[in-house]
Amino acid sequence: MSERAVCVIGTGLIGGSLLRAAEKAGREVWGTAASETTAAEARADGFEVGTDLDAALRRVVETDALVVLAVPLPAVPDVLRRIDAIAPTCRLTDAVSVKVAVADEVAHHAPRARYVGGHPMAGTAESGWAAGQAGLFADAAWVIAADDGLDLEVWADVAELAWACGARVVPAAIDEHDLAVARISHLPHLLAAVLAAVGAGEADDDLPLALAAGSFADGTRVAGTRPELVLAMCEGNRDALLAAVDDALGRLGAMRGALASTGGLAATVRTGYAGRQRWAATRDPMPERIRLDRPGVLAELREIGRRGDVVAGWRD
């Protein structure tokens, strides 16, 4: 396995956790933060984190490190401009929750970068450096883009970083990734917001909230995420999210019609139960080992992801 150094740009929950996990795995790591306050918190915990992005990128050039963008989508273009100016051909990945939009930004602002998109599917409702933890990615799915034409050497770098952090590597085409996360990540954020608003009800009536227990707490957990982070990821995946919202509205409309006409909810409840059982069945994916030096390997990787399986290592 490669022990390539890692530079993480953005040290909130995901970036901060990535720095911790990579350092625990024995990697040389450093990073940058948007604020001196965050950088100071990271340094107090023993990490090399500053606010001078250009200096961090010069070190990337010196060490041939892998750069990980862990900033919200709206901040990506400005960071890419500095990458193009300081480290234009660097090894580059990201941890942003949409992939098509980031790939478009890279093509526009840092076209010479050796970019392979990534998205670790892990997180909490908390944010900031203090919320990070080295074990955040343990057994989590870490999506790695598998579109034709990608740099396979950098693909290996990203996969080995994911494994070093304890994650399961799931390859996917970037457009298929965005459609998938719209359904299982971005739509749940919006539904949680709606559920929280409905549960809160009128401002002068706290009885529903006083009675709320596990189902309300579980269903609204991600509504506690900072609104600007939710807006960045959901609005950045607008087209795919609209399709997921339309699907949800159709199902809610059918459920309402059945409830109003017959009082029956069986179809909705049983379909939801079946979906939950299918999700549970995917918790034990089939591990696959691959060789990157064979023709058609990226198509093979995409098929592994579509089956719900994972890449677990290299085949001799």
Side-chain angles (χ1 to χ4, degrees):
M1 274 188 150
S2 165
E3 298 298 329
R4 189 171 303 282
V6 178
C7 172
V8 181
I9 301 174
T11 49
L13 169 66
I14 299 301
S17 296
L18 207 158
L19 268 177
R20 292 173 170 96
E23 189 271 342
K24 186 175 181 180
R27 301 291 186 98
E28 178 187 1
V29 298
W30 66 94
T32 66
S35 74
E36 179 54 39
T37 299
T38 299
E41 290 176 355
R43 289 195 298 270
D45 287 338
F47 291 87
E48 292 184 69
V49 176
T51 58
D52 189 338
L53 176 58
D54 287 5
L57 291 174
R58 285 192 290 270
R59 184 171 173 183
V60 166
V61 174
E62 293 168 359
T63 59
D64 196 20
L66 175 65
V67 178
V68 184
L69 299 183
V71 298
L73 182 59
V76 167
D78 286 343
V79 174
L80 291 175
R81 291 186 188 98
R82 298 315 305 155
I83 287 175
D84 193 52
I86 305 296
T89 61
C90 70
R91 301 167 188 264
L92 178 65
T93 187
D94 70 295
V96 183
S97 66
V98 293
K99 297 274 67 72
V100 172
V102 175
D104 288 346
E105 296 288 3
V106 172
H108 183 66
H109 296 293
R112 295 172 289 174
R114 300 170 67 186
Y115 172 66
V116 174
H119 180 202
M121 301 296 297
T124 70
E126 305 301 319
S127 59
W129 171 264
Q133 50 187 293
L136 184 68
F137 309 109
D139 295 323
W142 190 310
V143 180
I144 304 179
D147 299 84
D148 290 337
L150 290 178
D151 188 317
L152 292 174
E153 186 177 313
V154 179
W155 203 97
D157 288 335
V158 181
E160 290 176 355
L161 175 62
W163 292 328
C165 293
R168 299 179 284 112
V169 170
V170 180
I174 59 174
D175 57 344
E176 293 177 359
H177 164 276
D178 285 4
L179 288 168
V181 296
R183 294 162 60 185
I184 56 83
S185 177
H186 302 164
L187 179 64
H189 273 88
L190 298 187
L191 293 178
V194 171
L195 179 57
V198 171
E202 300 297 328
D204 59 352
D205 181 10
D206 281 344
L207 177 60
L209 295 177
L211 300 180
S215 59
F216 183 80
D218 291 346
T220 61
R221 179 184 64 83
V222 294
T225 306
R226 282 168 43 200
E228 62 269 26
L229 299 179
V230 177
L231 291 172
M233 68 180 178
C234 290
E235 294 175 353
N237 199 22
R238 177 185 174 188
D239 291 343
L241 182 53
L242 279 171
V245 169
D246 286 344
D247 188 358
L249 289 174
R251 293 173 185 272
L252 286 170
M255 179 269 291
R256 188 196 184 283
L259 181 62
S261 61
T262 68
L265 294 171
T268 296
V269 172
R270 287 172 180 160
T271 301
Y273 178 81
R276 175 73 181 194
Q277 297 305 110
R278 281 184 61 196
W279 171 79
T282 67
R283 298 305 88 195
D284 188 22
M286 179 74 69
E288 301 275 358
R289 291 184 175 272
I290 62 163
R291 285 183 56 180
L292 288 180
D293 60 347
R294 55 188 289 177
V297 67
L298 287 163
E300 178 186 346
L301 287 168
R302 293 192 295 271
E303 188 55 36
I304 289 172
R306 292 184 189 117
R307 293 197 304 265
D309 294 330
V310 299
V311 178
W314 310 128
R315 185 189 305 163
D316 294 333

Coordinates of all heavy atoms in Angstrom, one line a residue, residues 5 50 55 95 113 148 157 200 255-256 265 278:
A5 N 1.7 11.1 1.2 CA 1.3 12.2 2.1 C 0.0 12.7 1.6 O -0.4 12.6 0.4 CB 2.4 13.3 2.1
G50 N -2.9 25.4 9.0 CA -2.8 26.8 8.9 C -3.8 27.4 8.0 O -4.7 26.7 7.6
A55 N 1.0 28.1 0.7 CA 2.1 27.4 1.4 C 1.8 25.9 1.4 O 2.7 25.1 1.2 CB 2.3 28.0 2.8
A95 N -14.0 15.4 -1.1 CA -14.9 14.7 -0.2 C -16.3 15.4 -0.3 O -17.1 15.3 0.7 CB -14.4 14.7 1.2
A113 N -5.0 19.3 -13.3 CA -5.0 18.5 -12.1 C -5.3 17.0 -12.4 O -6.1 16.7 -13.3 CB -5.9 19.0 -11.0
D148 N -14.7 6.7 -17.4 CA -13.6 6.5 -18.4 C -12.7 7.7 -18.5 O -13.1 8.8 -18.4 CB -14.2 6.2 -19.8 CG -14.9 4.8 -19.8 OD1 -14.6 4.0 -19.0 OD2 -15.8 4.7 -20.7
D157 N -4.3 5.8 -5.5 CA -4.0 6.7 -4.3 C -5.3 6.9 -3.4 O -5.2 6.8 -2.2 CB -3.5 8.0 -4.8 CG -2.1 8.0 -5.3 OD1 -1.3 7.0 -5.0 OD2 -1.7 8.9 -6.1
A200 N -42.8 20.6 15.1 CA -42.7 21.8 16.0 C -44.1 22.5 16.0 O -44.5 23.1 17.0 CB -41.6 22.7 15.5
M255 N -50.3 7.9 -0.9 CA -50.6 7.5 0.4 C -51.8 8.3 1.0 O -52.7 7.8 1.6 CB -49.4 7.7 1.3 CG -49.6 7.3 2.8 SD -50.1 8.8 3.8 CE -48.6 9.7 3.7
R256 N -51.8 9.6 0.7 CA -52.8 10.5 1.2 C -54.2 10.1 0.6 O -55.2 10.1 1.2 CB -52.5 12.0 0.9 CG -53.6 12.9 1.5 CD -53.5 14.3 1.0 NE -54.5 15.2 1.7 CZ -55.8 15.1 1.5 NH1 -56.4 14.3 0.7 NH2 -56.6 15.9 2.3
L265 N -53.3 2.3 4.8 CA -51.9 2.7 4.6 C -51.0 1.5 4.3 O -49.8 1.7 4.3 CB -51.4 3.4 5.9 CG -52.0 4.7 6.3 CD1 -51.6 5.2 7.6 CD2 -51.7 5.8 5.2
R278 N -34.2 -4.3 2.3 CA -33.2 -4.3 1.3 C -31.9 -3.6 1.7 O -30.8 -4.0 1.4 CB -33.8 -3.7 0.0 CG -34.7 -4.6 -0.8 CD -35.1 -4.0 -2.1 NE -34.0 -3.7 -3.0 CZ -34.0 -2.9 -4.0 NH1 -35.1 -2.2 -4.3 NH2 -32.9 -2.6 -4.8

